[in-house]
Structure formats: C-alpha cells, structure tokens
Amino acid sequence: MCALGKIHQRLGEHRKALEWFVQAQKIDPSQSFLAMEAGYEALELRVFKHAIELYEAGIARNRMTHDLCRVWPWLNCWPAQWLLPELP
C-alpha cells in the first residue's frame, strides 16, 4: 500500500496517494512515516486540518519510539517500531 501511495505521489495524483497512505496507516499505525506521508498529501490537497491531524499522529508515534530508545538503548531506535508494534 505504501508503494502504491508513493507511485501516485510521484505521478501527482495526490488524492489517490492520500487514500493509500491513510489505508496503510490504519493497517499498521505503528509506522510514523505513513502518517507523515499522508500529511504531506493532505497539504498538497490543501486539507489543512486533516494534514495537522496526520502530522500530529506521526510525531506522537515517532516521539514514543525515541522515548523507548532512551529507556532501552538496545532497541537501537529505528527497529523499535517493528519489535513493539502493540504499543499505542
């Protein structure tokens, strides 16, 4: 789904890209970059309120990952999202 979103993004089909990124984020909300990509597409479509919501969700998820890395450095930061996907 992410790949399809990136393809549509590259083609300038921002509405379709947004739909794919939002769908992918619903399936795996632990991936903060999906929210950020969806937020970018919402900005392109000038849906600012939705863009802010998406960016805030991505930032919150990214912040949680970095907080975990400070507590448990052996997580090596980036893989924490895959090791602990059940975290809110």
Side-chain angles (χ1 to χ4, degrees):
M1 286 185 188
C2 178
L4 290 171
K6 292 301 279 183
I7 290 168
H8 287 292
Q9 185 181 58
R10 180 73 174 148
L11 294 173
E13 299 170 350
H14 300 293
R15 188 164 308 283
K16 288 182 181 181
L18 176 61
E19 291 171 5
W20 281 112
F21 289 131
V22 168
Q23 209 172 359
Q25 186 189 12
K26 286 179 183 176
I27 291 172
D28 191 359
S30 68
Q31 302 299 320
S32 63
F33 79 93
L34 292 171
M36 301 301 231
E37 291 286 352
Y40 173 79
E41 293 305 320
L43 282 177
E44 286 289 330
L45 294 168
R46 299 190 174 278
V47 186
F48 299 118
K49 185 177 179 182
H50 191 52
I52 291 169
E53 292 169 358
L54 290 164
Y55 276 121
E56 285 177 345
I59 290 168
R61 184 61 195 162
N62 203 20
R63 185 172 294 137
M64 174 176 278
T65 301
H66 288 294
D67 288 345
L68 285 173
C69 292
R70 260 187 265 132
V71 176
W72 298 308
W74 56 268
L75 285 177
N76 205 11
C77 288
W78 188 244
Q81 293 180 4
W82 293 281
L83 292 171
L84 305 168
E86 71 277 357
L87 292 172

